[in-house]
Coordinates of all heavy atoms in Angstrom, one line a residue:
F1 N 8.9 -11.4 17.9 CA 8.8 -10.2 17.1 C 7.8 -10.4 15.9 O 7.2 -9.4 15.4 CB 10.1 -9.7 16.6 CG 11.0 -9.1 17.7 CD1 12.1 -9.8 18.2 CD2 10.6 -7.9 18.2 CE1 12.8 -9.3 19.2 CE2 11.4 -7.4 19.2 CZ 12.5 -8.0 19.7
N2 N 7.7 -11.6 15.5 CA 6.8 -11.9 14.3 C 5.4 -11.6 14.7 O 4.5 -11.3 13.8 CB 7.0 -13.3 13.8 CG 8.4 -13.5 13.2 OD1 9.1 -12.5 12.9 ND2 8.8 -14.7 13.1
F3 N 5.0 -11.7 16.0 CA 3.7 -11.4 16.4 C 3.4 -9.9 16.4 O 2.3 -9.5 16.4 CB 3.4 -11.9 17.8 CG 3.3 -13.4 17.8 CD1 4.4 -14.2 18.3 CD2 2.2 -14.1 17.3 CE1 4.3 -15.6 18.4 CE2 2.1 -15.5 17.3 CZ 3.2 -16.2 17.8
I4 N 4.4 -9.1 16.2 CA 4.3 -7.7 16.1 C 4.2 -7.3 14.6 O 3.5 -6.4 14.2 CB 5.5 -6.9 16.8 CG1 5.5 -7.2 18.3 CG2 5.4 -5.4 16.5 CD1 6.7 -6.8 19.0
A5 N 5.0 -8.0 13.8 CA 5.1 -7.6 12.4 C 3.8 -7.9 11.6 O 3.4 -7.1 10.8 CB 6.2 -8.4 11.7
I6 N 3.1 -9.0 11.9 CA 1.9 -9.3 11.2 C 0.8 -8.3 11.5 O 0.2 -7.8 10.5 CB 1.5 -10.8 11.5 CG1 2.5 -11.7 10.9 CG2 0.1 -11.1 10.9 CD1 2.4 -13.1 11.3
P7 N 0.4 -8.0 12.7 CA -0.6 -6.9 12.9 C -0.2 -5.6 12.4 O -1.1 -4.8 11.9 CB -0.8 -6.9 14.4 CG -0.2 -8.1 15.0 CD 0.8 -8.6 14.0
T8 N 1.1 -5.3 12.4 CA 1.5 -4.0 11.9 C 1.3 -4.0 10.4 O 0.9 -3.0 9.8 CB 3.0 -3.8 12.2 OG1 3.2 -3.8 13.6 CG2 3.5 -2.4 11.6
A9 N 1.6 -5.1 9.7 CA 1.4 -5.2 8.2 C -0.1 -5.0 7.9 O -0.5 -4.4 6.9 CB 1.9 -6.5 7.7
F10 N -1.0 -5.6 8.7 CA -2.4 -5.5 8.5 C -2.9 -4.0 8.6 O -3.6 -3.5 7.8 CB -3.3 -6.3 9.4 CG -3.3 -7.8 9.1 CD1 -2.9 -8.7 10.0 CD2 -3.7 -8.2 7.8 CE1 -2.9 -10.1 9.7 CE2 -3.7 -9.5 7.5 CZ -3.4 -10.5 8.4
G11 N -2.4 -3.3 9.6 CA -2.7 -1.9 9.8 C -2.2 -1.1 8.7 O -2.9 -0.2 8.2
T12 N -1.0 -1.3 8.2 CA -0.4 -0.6 7.1 C -1.1 -0.8 5.9 O -1.4 0.1 5.1 CB 1.1 -1.0 7.0 OG1 1.8 -0.8 8.2 CG2 1.8 -0.3 5.8
G13 N -1.5 -2.1 5.6 CA -2.3 -2.4 4.4 C -3.6 -1.7 4.4 O -4.0 -1.1 3.3
A14 N -4.2 -1.6 5.5 CA -5.5 -0.9 5.6 C -5.3 0.6 5.4 O -6.1 1.2 4.6 CB -6.2 -1.2 6.9
D15 N -4.3 1.1 6.0 CA -4.0 2.6 5.8 C -3.8 3.0 4.4 O -4.3 3.9 3.9 CB -2.9 2.9 6.7 CG -2.6 4.4 6.7 OD1 -3.5 5.2 6.8 OD2 -1.4 4.8 6.5
Y16 N -2.9 2.2 3.7 CA -2.6 2.5 2.3 C -3.8 2.4 1.4 O -4.1 3.3 0.6 CB -1.5 1.6 1.8 CG -0.1 1.8 2.4 CD1 0.9 0.8 2.2 CD2 0.2 2.9 3.2 CE1 2.1 1.0 2.8 CE2 1.4 3.0 3.8 CZ 2.4 2.0 3.6 OH 3.6 2.2 4.2
G17 N -4.5 1.3 1.6 CA -5.7 1.1 0.8 C -6.8 2.2 1.0 O -7.4 2.7 0.1
I18 N -7.0 2.6 2.3 CA -8.0 3.6 2.6 C -7.6 4.9 2.1 O -8.4 5.7 1.5 CB -8.2 3.6 4.2 CG1 -8.9 2.4 4.6 CG2 -8.9 4.9 4.6 CD1 -9.0 2.2 6.1
N19 N -6.3 5.3 2.1 CA -5.9 6.6 1.6 C -6.2 6.6 0.1 O -6.7 7.7 -0.4 CB -4.4 6.8 1.8 CG -4.1 7.1 3.2 OD1 -4.9 7.8 3.9 ND2 -2.9 6.7 3.7
I20 N -5.9 5.6 -0.7 CA -6.1 5.6 -2.1 C -7.6 5.6 -2.4 O -8.1 6.3 -3.3 CB -5.4 4.4 -2.8 CG1 -3.9 4.8 -2.7 CG2 -5.9 4.2 -4.2 CD1 -3.0 3.7 -3.3
L21 N -8.4 4.7 -1.7 CA -9.8 4.6 -1.9 C -10.5 6.0 -1.6 O -11.4 6.4 -2.4 CB -10.4 3.5 -1.1 CG -11.9 3.3 -1.3 CD1 -12.2 2.9 -2.7 CD2 -12.4 2.2 -0.3
M22 N -10.2 6.6 -0.5 CA -10.8 7.9 -0.1 C -10.5 9.0 -1.2 O -11.4 9.8 -1.5 CB -10.4 8.3 1.3 CG -10.9 7.3 2.4 SD -12.7 7.0 2.2 CE -13.4 8.6 2.7
R23 N -9.3 9.0 -1.7 CA -8.9 10.0 -2.7 C -9.8 9.7 -4.0 O -10.3 10.6 -4.6 CB -7.5 9.9 -3.0 CG -7.1 10.8 -4.2 CD -7.2 12.2 -3.9 NE -5.9 12.7 -3.5 CZ -5.5 13.9 -3.6 NH1 -6.2 14.8 -4.2 NH2 -4.3 14.2 -3.2
Y24 N -9.9 8.4 -4.3 CA -10.7 8.1 -5.5 C -12.2 8.5 -5.3 O -12.8 9.1 -6.2 CB -10.6 6.6 -5.7 CG -11.6 6.1 -6.8 CD1 -11.4 6.3 -8.1 CD2 -12.8 5.4 -6.4 CE1 -12.3 5.9 -9.1 CE2 -13.7 5.0 -7.3 CZ -13.4 5.2 -8.7 OH -14.4 4.8 -9.6
L25 N -12.7 8.2 -4.1 CA -14.1 8.5 -3.9 C -14.4 10.0 -3.8 O -15.4 10.4 -4.2 CB -14.6 7.8 -2.6 CG -14.7 6.3 -2.6 CD1 -15.0 5.8 -1.2 CD2 -15.7 5.8 -3.6
S26 N -13.4 10.7 -3.4 CA -13.6 12.2 -3.3 C -13.6 12.8 -4.7 O -14.1 13.9 -4.9 CB -12.5 12.9 -2.5 OG -11.2 12.8 -3.2
Q27 N -13.1 12.1 -5.7 CA -13.0 12.6 -7.1 C -14.1 11.9 -8.0 O -14.2 12.3 -9.1 CB -11.6 12.3 -7.7 CG -10.5 13.0 -7.0 CD -9.2 12.7 -7.6 OE1 -9.1 11.8 -8.5 NE2 -8.1 13.3 -7.1
N28 N -14.7 10.9 -7.5 CA -15.6 10.2 -8.4 C -17.1 10.6 -8.3 O -17.6 10.9 -7.2 CB -15.6 8.7 -8.0 CG -16.3 7.8 -8.9 OD1 -16.5 8.1 -10.1 ND2 -16.7 6.6 -8.5
N29 N -17.7 10.7 -9.4 CA -19.1 11.1 -9.5 C -19.8 10.2 -10.5 O -20.4 10.6 -11.5 CB -19.3 12.5 -10.0 CG -18.8 13.5 -8.9 OD1 -18.9 13.3 -7.7 ND2 -18.2 14.6 -9.4
D30 N -19.8 8.9 -10.3 CA -20.4 7.8 -11.1 C -20.0 8.0 -12.6 O -20.8 8.2 -13.5 CB -21.9 7.9 -11.0 CG -22.4 7.5 -9.6 OD1 -21.7 6.6 -9.0 OD2 -23.4 7.9 -9.2
H31 N -18.7 7.8 -12.8 CA -18.2 7.9 -14.2 C -18.4 6.6 -14.9 O -18.6 5.6 -14.3 CB -16.7 8.3 -14.1 CG -16.4 9.6 -13.5 ND1 -17.2 10.3 -12.7 CD2 -15.3 10.3 -13.6 CE1 -16.7 11.4 -12.3 NE2 -15.5 11.5 -12.8
T32 N -18.2 6.7 -16.2 CA -18.2 5.5 -17.0 C -16.8 4.7 -16.8 O -16.0 5.3 -16.1 CB -18.3 5.8 -18.5 OG1 -17.2 6.5 -18.9 CG2 -19.6 6.6 -18.8
T33 N -16.7 3.6 -17.4 CA -15.5 2.8 -17.1 C -14.2 3.5 -17.6 O -13.2 3.5 -16.9 CB -15.6 1.4 -17.8 OG1 -16.8 0.7 -17.4 CG2 -14.4 0.6 -17.6
N34 N -14.3 4.1 -18.7 CA -13.1 4.9 -19.2 C -12.8 6.1 -18.4 O -11.6 6.4 -18.1 CB -13.3 5.3 -20.7 CG -13.2 4.1 -21.6 OD1 -12.6 3.1 -21.3 ND2 -13.8 4.3 -22.8
Q35 N -13.8 6.7 -17.9 CA -13.6 7.9 -17.0 C -13.1 7.4 -15.7 O -12.2 8.1 -15.1 CB -14.9 8.7 -16.8 CG -15.3 9.4 -18.1 CD -16.7 10.0 -17.9 OE1 -17.6 9.4 -17.2 NE2 -17.0 11.1 -18.6
R36 N -13.5 6.3 -15.2 CA -13.0 5.7 -13.9 C -11.5 5.4 -14.0 O -10.8 5.6 -13.1 CB -13.8 4.4 -13.5 CG -15.0 4.7 -12.7 CD -15.6 3.5 -12.2 NE -16.5 3.1 -13.3 CZ -17.1 2.0 -13.5 NH1 -16.8 1.0 -12.7 NH2 -17.9 1.8 -14.5
K37 N -11.1 4.9 -15.2 CA -9.7 4.6 -15.4 C -8.9 5.9 -15.3 O -7.8 5.9 -14.7 CB -9.5 4.0 -16.7 CG -9.9 2.6 -16.8 CD -9.7 2.0 -18.2 CE -10.3 0.6 -18.3 NZ -10.2 0.0 -19.6
E38 N -9.4 7.0 -15.8 CA -8.7 8.3 -15.8 C -8.7 8.8 -14.3 O -7.6 9.3 -13.9 CB -9.4 9.3 -16.7 CG -9.2 9.0 -18.1 CD -10.0 9.9 -19.0 OE1 -10.6 10.9 -18.5 OE2 -10.1 9.7 -20.2
V39 N -9.8 8.6 -13.6 CA -9.8 9.1 -12.2 C -8.8 8.2 -11.4 O -8.1 8.8 -10.5 CB -11.3 9.0 -11.6 CG1 -11.3 9.3 -10.1 CG2 -12.2 9.9 -12.4
I40 N -8.8 6.9 -11.6 CA -7.8 6.1 -10.9 C -6.4 6.5 -11.2 O -5.6 6.5 -10.3 CB -8.1 4.6 -11.2 CG1 -9.3 4.0 -10.5 CG2 -6.9 3.7 -10.9 CD1 -9.1 3.8 -9.1
Q41 N -6.2 6.8 -12.4 CA -4.8 7.2 -12.8 C -4.4 8.5 -12.1 O -3.3 8.6 -11.6 CB -4.8 7.4 -14.4 CG -3.4 7.3 -15.0 CD -3.6 7.2 -16.5 OE1 -4.5 7.7 -17.1 NE2 -2.5 6.7 -17.1
E42 N -5.3 9.4 -12.1 CA -5.1 10.7 -11.4 C -4.9 10.4 -9.9 O -4.0 11.0 -9.2 CB -6.2 11.6 -11.6 CG -6.0 13.0 -11.0 CD -7.2 13.9 -11.3 OE1 -8.0 13.7 -12.2 OE2 -7.3 14.9 -10.5
T43 N -5.7 9.5 -9.3 CA -5.5 9.2 -7.9 C -4.2 8.6 -7.6 O -3.5 8.9 -6.6 CB -6.6 8.2 -7.5 OG1 -7.9 8.8 -7.7 CG2 -6.5 7.8 -6.0
L44 N -3.7 7.7 -8.5 CA -2.4 7.1 -8.3 C -1.3 8.1 -8.4 O -0.3 7.9 -7.7 CB -2.2 5.9 -9.2 CG -3.1 4.7 -8.9 CD1 -2.9 3.6 -9.9 CD2 -2.8 4.1 -7.5
V45 N -1.4 9.0 -9.3 CA -0.4 10.0 -9.5 C -0.3 10.9 -8.2 O 0.8 11.2 -7.7 CB -0.7 10.9 -10.7 CG1 0.2 12.1 -10.7 CG2 -0.4 10.1 -12.0
K46 N -1.5 11.3 -7.7 CA -1.5 12.2 -6.6 C -1.2 11.5 -5.2 O -0.4 12.0 -4.4 CB -2.8 13.0 -6.5 CG -3.0 14.0 -7.6 CD -4.3 14.7 -7.5 CE -4.4 15.7 -8.6 NZ -5.7 16.4 -8.6
T47 N -1.9 10.5 -5.0 CA -1.9 9.8 -3.7 C -0.9 8.6 -3.7 O -0.2 8.3 -2.7 CB -3.2 9.3 -3.2 OG1 -4.1 10.4 -3.2 CG2 -3.2 8.7 -1.8
G48 N -0.8 7.9 -4.8 CA 0.1 6.8 -4.9 C 1.6 7.1 -4.6 O 2.3 6.3 -4.0
G49 N 2.0 8.3 -5.0 CA 3.4 8.7 -4.8 C 3.6 8.9 -3.3 O 4.7 8.5 -2.8
A50 N 2.7 9.4 -2.6 CA 2.8 9.6 -1.1 C 2.8 8.2 -0.4 O 3.6 8.0 0.5 CB 1.7 10.5 -0.6
V51 N 1.9 7.3 -0.9 CA 1.9 6.0 -0.3 C 3.2 5.3 -0.6 O 3.8 4.6 0.3 CB 0.7 5.2 -0.9 CG1 0.8 3.7 -0.6 CG2 -0.6 5.8 -0.4
F52 N 3.7 5.4 -1.8 CA 5.0 4.7 -2.2 C 6.1 5.3 -1.3 O 7.0 4.5 -0.8 CB 5.3 4.9 -3.7 CG 6.6 4.3 -4.1 CD1 6.7 2.9 -4.3 CD2 7.7 5.0 -4.2 CE1 7.8 2.3 -4.7 CE2 8.9 4.4 -4.6 CZ 9.0 3.1 -4.8
L53 N 6.2 6.6 -1.1 CA 7.3 7.2 -0.3 C 7.2 6.7 1.1 O 8.2 6.4 1.7 CB 7.2 8.7 -0.4 CG 8.3 9.5 0.3 CD1 9.7 9.1 -0.3 CD2 8.1 10.9 0.1
C54 N 6.0 6.7 1.6 CA 5.8 6.2 3.0 C 6.3 4.8 3.2 O 7.0 4.4 4.1 CB 4.3 6.4 3.4 SG 4.0 5.9 5.1
S55 N 5.9 4.0 2.2 CA 6.3 2.6 2.2 C 7.8 2.4 2.1 O 8.4 1.6 2.8 CB 5.6 1.8 1.1 OG 5.9 0.5 1.1
A56 N 8.4 3.2 1.2 CA 9.8 3.1 1.0 C 10.6 3.5 2.2 O 11.6 2.8 2.6 CB 10.3 4.0 -0.2
T57 N 10.2 4.5 3.0 CA 10.9 4.9 4.2 C 10.8 3.8 5.2 O 11.7 3.5 6.0 CB 10.5 6.2 4.7 OG1 9.0 6.2 5.0 CG2 10.8 7.3 3.8
T58 N 9.6 3.2 5.3 CA 9.4 2.1 6.3 C 10.2 0.9 5.9 O 10.8 0.2 6.8 CB 7.9 1.7 6.3 OG1 7.1 2.9 6.6 CG2 7.6 0.7 7.3
I59 N 10.3 0.5 4.6 CA 11.1 -0.6 4.2 C 12.6 -0.3 4.5 O 13.3 -1.2 5.0 CB 11.0 -0.9 2.7 CG1 9.6 -1.5 2.4 CG2 12.0 -1.8 2.1 CD1 9.2 -1.6 1.0
I60 N 13.1 0.9 4.3 CA 14.5 1.2 4.7 C 14.7 1.0 6.2 O 15.7 0.5 6.6 CB 14.8 2.7 4.2 CG1 14.8 2.8 2.7 CG2 16.1 3.1 4.8 CD1 14.9 4.2 2.2
G61 N 13.8 1.4 7.0 CA 13.9 1.2 8.4 C 13.9 -0.2 8.8 O 14.8 -0.6 9.6
Y62 N 13.1 -1.0 8.2 CA 13.1 -2.5 8.5 C 14.3 -3.1 7.9 O 14.8 -4.1 8.5 CB 11.8 -3.1 7.9 CG 10.5 -2.9 8.7 CD1 9.4 -2.6 8.0 CD2 10.5 -2.8 10.0 CE1 8.2 -2.4 8.6 CE2 9.3 -2.6 10.7 CZ 8.2 -2.4 10.0 OH 7.0 -2.2 10.7
F63 N 14.8 -2.6 6.8 CA 16.0 -3.2 6.2 C 17.2 -3.2 7.1 O 18.1 -4.0 7.1 CB 16.3 -2.5 4.9 CG 17.4 -3.2 4.1 CD1 17.1 -4.4 3.4 CD2 18.7 -2.7 4.0 CE1 18.1 -5.1 2.7 CE2 19.7 -3.3 3.3 CZ 19.4 -4.5 2.6
S64 N 17.3 -2.1 8.0 CA 18.4 -2.0 8.9 C 18.4 -3.1 9.9 O 19.4 -3.5 10.5 CB 18.4 -0.6 9.6 OG 17.2 -0.5 10.4
L65 N 17.2 -3.7 10.2 CA 17.1 -4.8 11.1 C 17.8 -6.1 10.6 O 18.1 -7.0 11.4 CB 15.7 -5.1 11.5 CG 15.0 -4.0 12.3 CD1 13.5 -4.4 12.5 CD2 15.6 -3.8 13.6
I66 N 17.9 -6.2 9.3 CA 18.5 -7.4 8.7 C 19.9 -7.6 9.1 O 20.4 -8.7 9.2 CB 18.3 -7.4 7.2 CG1 16.8 -7.5 6.8 CG2 19.1 -8.5 6.5 CD1 16.5 -7.4 5.4
Y67 N 20.6 -6.6 9.5 CA 22.0 -6.6 9.8 C 22.2 -6.8 11.3 O 23.3 -6.7 11.8 CB 22.8 -5.4 9.3 CG 22.8 -5.4 7.8 CD1 22.0 -4.5 7.1 CD2 23.6 -6.3 7.1 CE1 22.0 -4.5 5.7 CE2 23.6 -6.3 5.7 CZ 22.8 -5.4 5.0 OH 22.8 -5.5 3.7
A68 N 21.2 -7.0 12.1 CA 21.3 -7.2 13.5 C 21.9 -8.5 13.9 O 21.9 -9.5 13.1 CB 19.9 -7.1 14.2
Q69 N 22.5 -8.6 15.0 CA 23.1 -9.9 15.4 C 22.1 -10.8 16.0 O 22.3 -12.0 16.0 CB 24.2 -9.6 16.4 CG 25.4 -8.9 15.8 CD 26.5 -8.7 16.8 OE1 26.4 -9.1 18.0 NE2 27.6 -8.2 16.4
N70 N 21.0 -10.3 16.5 CA 20.0 -11.1 17.1 C 19.1 -11.6 16.0 O 18.5 -10.8 15.2 CB 19.1 -10.2 18.0 CG 18.1 -10.9 18.8 OD1 17.5 -11.9 18.3 ND2 17.7 -10.5 20.0
Q71 N 19.0 -12.9 15.9 CA 18.2 -13.5 14.8 C 16.7 -13.2 14.8 O 16.0 -13.2 13.8 CB 18.4 -15.1 14.8 CG 19.8 -15.4 14.3 CD 20.1 -14.9 12.9 OE1 19.3 -15.1 12.0 NE2 21.2 -14.2 12.7
A72 N 16.2 -12.9 16.0 CA 14.8 -12.5 16.1 C 14.5 -11.2 15.4 O 13.5 -11.0 14.7 CB 14.4 -12.4 17.6
L73 N 15.5 -10.3 15.6 CA 15.4 -9.0 14.9 C 15.5 -9.2 13.4 O 14.8 -8.5 12.6 CB 16.4 -8.0 15.4 CG 16.2 -7.5 16.8 CD1 17.3 -6.6 17.2 CD2 14.9 -6.7 16.8
V74 N 16.4 -10.1 12.9 CA 16.6 -10.3 11.5 C 15.3 -10.9 10.9 O 14.8 -10.5 9.9 CB 17.7 -11.3 11.3 CG1 17.8 -11.7 9.8 CG2 19.1 -10.6 11.7
S75 N 14.7 -11.9 11.7 CA 13.4 -12.5 11.2 C 12.3 -11.4 11.2 O 11.5 -11.4 10.2 CB 13.1 -13.6 12.2 OG 11.8 -14.1 11.9
Y76 N 12.3 -10.6 12.2 CA 11.2 -9.5 12.2 C 11.4 -8.6 11.0 O 10.5 -8.2 10.3 CB 11.4 -8.7 13.5 CG 10.5 -7.5 13.6 CD1 9.1 -7.6 13.6 CD2 11.0 -6.3 13.6 CE1 8.3 -6.5 13.7 CE2 10.2 -5.1 13.7 CZ 8.9 -5.3 13.7 OH 8.1 -4.2 13.8
G77 N 12.7 -8.2 10.7 CA 12.9 -7.3 9.6 C 12.5 -7.9 8.3 O 11.9 -7.2 7.4
K78 N 12.8 -9.2 8.1 CA 12.5 -9.8 6.8 C 10.9 -9.9 6.6 O 10.4 -9.7 5.6 CB 13.1 -11.2 6.7 CG 14.6 -11.2 6.5 CD 15.2 -12.6 6.5 CE 16.7 -12.5 6.3 NZ 17.3 -13.9 6.3
L79 N 10.3 -10.4 7.7 CA 8.8 -10.5 7.7 C 8.2 -9.1 7.5 O 7.2 -9.0 6.7 CB 8.3 -11.2 8.9 CG 6.8 -11.4 9.0 CD1 6.4 -12.4 7.9 CD2 6.4 -12.0 10.4
A80 N 8.7 -8.1 8.1 CA 8.1 -6.8 8.0 C 8.3 -6.2 6.6 O 7.4 -5.6 6.0 CB 8.7 -5.9 9.0
I81 N 9.4 -6.5 6.0 CA 9.7 -6.0 4.6 C 8.7 -6.7 3.6 O 8.1 -6.1 2.8 CB 11.1 -6.2 4.2 CG1 12.0 -5.2 5.0 CG2 11.3 -6.1 2.7 CD1 13.5 -5.5 4.8
A82 N 8.6 -8.0 3.8 CA 7.7 -8.7 2.9 C 6.2 -8.2 3.1 O 5.5 -8.0 2.1 CB 7.7 -10.2 3.2
G83 N 5.8 -8.0 4.3 CA 4.5 -7.4 4.6 C 4.3 -6.1 4.0 O 3.3 -5.7 3.4
E84 N 5.3 -5.2 4.1 CA 5.2 -3.9 3.5 C 5.1 -3.9 2.0 O 4.4 -3.1 1.4 CB 6.5 -3.1 4.0 CG 6.4 -1.6 3.7 CD 5.4 -0.9 4.6 OE1 5.1 -1.3 5.7 OE2 4.9 0.2 4.1
I85 N 5.9 -4.7 1.4 CA 5.9 -4.8 -0.1 C 4.5 -5.4 -0.5 O 3.9 -4.9 -1.5 CB 7.0 -5.7 -0.6 CG1 8.3 -5.0 -0.4 CG2 6.8 -6.1 -2.1 CD1 9.6 -5.9 -0.7
G86 N 4.0 -6.3 0.2 CA 2.6 -6.9 -0.1 C 1.6 -5.8 0.0 O 0.7 -5.7 -0.8
C87 N 1.7 -5.0 1.1 CA 0.7 -3.9 1.3 C 0.8 -2.9 0.2 O -0.3 -2.4 -0.3 CB 0.9 -3.3 2.7 SG 0.5 -4.3 4.1
L88 N 2.0 -2.5 -0.2 CA 2.1 -1.5 -1.2 C 1.6 -2.0 -2.5 O 0.8 -1.3 -3.2 CB 3.6 -1.2 -1.4 CG 4.0 -0.2 -2.4 CD1 3.3 1.2 -2.2 CD2 5.5 0.0 -2.6
L89 N 1.9 -3.2 -2.9 CA 1.4 -3.8 -4.2 C -0.1 -3.9 -4.2 O -0.8 -3.6 -5.2 CB 2.1 -5.1 -4.5 CG 3.5 -5.1 -4.8 CD1 4.1 -6.5 -5.0 CD2 3.7 -4.3 -6.1
T90 N -0.7 -4.3 -3.1 CA -2.1 -4.4 -3.0 C -2.8 -3.0 -3.1 O -3.8 -2.9 -3.8 CB -2.5 -5.0 -1.6 OG1 -1.9 -6.3 -1.5 CG2 -4.0 -5.1 -1.5
A91 N -2.2 -2.0 -2.5 CA -2.8 -0.7 -2.6 C -2.7 0.0 -3.9 O -3.6 0.6 -4.4 CB -2.2 0.2 -1.5
V92 N -1.6 -0.2 -4.6 CA -1.4 0.5 -5.9 C -1.6 -0.3 -7.1 O -1.7 0.2 -8.2 CB 0.0 1.2 -6.0 CG1 0.2 2.2 -4.9 CG2 1.1 0.1 -6.0
V93 N -1.8 -1.6 -7.0 CA -2.1 -2.5 -8.1 C -3.4 -3.2 -8.0 O -4.3 -3.0 -8.9 CB -1.0 -3.6 -8.3 CG1 -1.3 -4.5 -9.5 CG2 0.4 -2.9 -8.5
L94 N -3.6 -3.9 -7.0 CA -4.9 -4.7 -6.8 C -6.1 -3.8 -6.6 O -7.1 -4.0 -7.2 CB -4.7 -5.7 -5.7 CG -5.9 -6.7 -5.5 CD1 -6.1 -7.5 -6.7 CD2 -5.6 -7.6 -4.3
L95 N -6.0 -2.9 -5.7 CA -7.1 -2.0 -5.4 C -7.7 -1.2 -6.6 O -8.9 -1.3 -6.8 CB -6.8 -1.1 -4.2 CG -7.9 -0.1 -3.8 CD1 -9.1 -0.9 -3.2 CD2 -7.4 0.9 -2.7
P96 N -6.8 -0.6 -7.4 CA -7.3 0.1 -8.5 C -8.0 -0.8 -9.5 O -9.0 -0.5 -10.1 CB -6.1 0.7 -9.2 CG -5.2 0.9 -8.0 CD -5.4 -0.2 -7.1
V97 N -7.4 -2.0 -9.7 CA -8.1 -3.0 -10.6 C -9.4 -3.4 -10.1 O -10.4 -3.5 -10.9 CB -7.2 -4.2 -10.8 CG1 -7.9 -5.3 -11.5 CG2 -5.9 -3.9 -11.6
M98 N -9.5 -3.6 -8.8 CA -10.8 -4.0 -8.2 C -11.8 -2.9 -8.4 O -13.0 -3.1 -8.6 CB -10.6 -4.4 -6.8 CG -9.9 -5.7 -6.6 SD -9.5 -6.1 -4.8 CE -11.2 -6.1 -4.1
I99 N -11.4 -1.6 -8.2 CA -12.3 -0.5 -8.3 C -12.9 -0.4 -9.8 O -14.1 -0.2 -10.0 CB -11.6 0.8 -8.0 CG1 -11.4 0.9 -6.5 CG2 -12.5 2.0 -8.4 CD1 -10.5 2.1 -6.1
I100 N -12.0 -0.6 -10.7 CA -12.5 -0.6 -12.1 C -13.4 -1.7 -12.5 O -14.4 -1.5 -13.1 CB -11.2 -0.5 -13.1 CG1 -10.5 0.8 -12.9 CG2 -11.7 -0.7 -14.5 CD1 -9.2 0.9 -13.6
K101 N -13.1 -2.9 -12.0 CA -13.8 -4.1 -12.4 C -15.2 -4.2 -11.6 O -16.1 -4.7 -12.2 CB -13.0 -5.4 -12.2 CG -11.8 -5.5 -13.0 CD -12.2 -5.6 -14.5 CE -11.0 -5.8 -15.3 NZ -11.3 -5.8 -16.7
V102 N -15.2 -3.8 -10.4 CA -16.4 -4.0 -9.5 C -17.5 -3.0 -9.9 O -18.6 -3.4 -9.9 CB -16.0 -4.0 -8.0 CG1 -17.2 -3.9 -7.2 CG2 -15.1 -5.1 -7.7
R103 N -17.1 -1.8 -10.1 CA -18.1 -0.8 -10.3 C -18.6 -1.0 -11.7 O -19.3 -0.6 -12.4 CB -17.6 0.6 -10.1 CG -17.4 0.8 -8.6 CD -17.1 2.2 -8.3 NE -17.9 2.5 -7.2 CZ -18.4 3.7 -7.0 NH1 -18.1 4.7 -7.8 NH2 -19.1 4.0 -5.9

């Protein structure tokens, strides 16, 4: 099952990051650093909430696997939750910082 959780986490991470990045790019018109911070803030308010809610429902689903009797399912649930949390933090914390610093 762990061979399923890792590719799923990569796909989820790409999806969350792309959603936030595309929202940012649709609102951006070569702003200064301070204006970029405001645009990122607005992006996180509008799209970050949806990404967080999507991640939360997925984590709840994976959390139910932790109570399975089969240890493979328990392992899958734990790995998937860790991957989901990592993807969420990357999309809503690391990506905005990178956008501000790189541009």
Side-chain angles (χ1 to χ4, degrees):
F1 287 111
N2 294 342
F3 290 105
I4 298 168
I6 293 170
T8 302
F10 283 125
T12 301
D15 183 48
Y16 293 166
I18 288 170
N19 285 330
I20 290 179
L21 182 63
M22 293 308 292
R23 172 68 92 150
Y24 169 76
L25 292 175
S26 71
Q27 297 176 358
N28 189 24
N29 294 322
D30 293 331
H31 297 20
T32 64
T33 302
N34 288 336
Q35 291 170 329
R36 268 185 274 166
K37 288 178 184 177
E38 292 173 9
V39 173
I40 283 288
Q41 204 170 21
E42 184 179 340
T43 299
L44 289 176
V45 166
K46 291 182 177 178
T47 306
V51 168
F52 180 79
L53 183 60
C54 182
S55 181
T57 58
T58 304
I59 289 172
I60 290 168
Y62 286 141
F63 189 74
S64 67
L65 294 176
I66 292 177
Y67 295 104
Q69 291 182 359
N70 184 330
Q71 287 303 309
L73 288 175
V74 173
S75 173
Y76 173 66
K78 289 178 181 179
L79 183 62
I81 289 171
E84 190 70 27
I85 291 170
C87 291
L88 178 63
L89 290 175
T90 301
V92 299
V93 176
L94 184 62
L95 181 63
V97 170
M98 289 175 60
I99 289 172
I100 291 170
K101 295 294 181 185
V102 170
R103 289 191 134 210

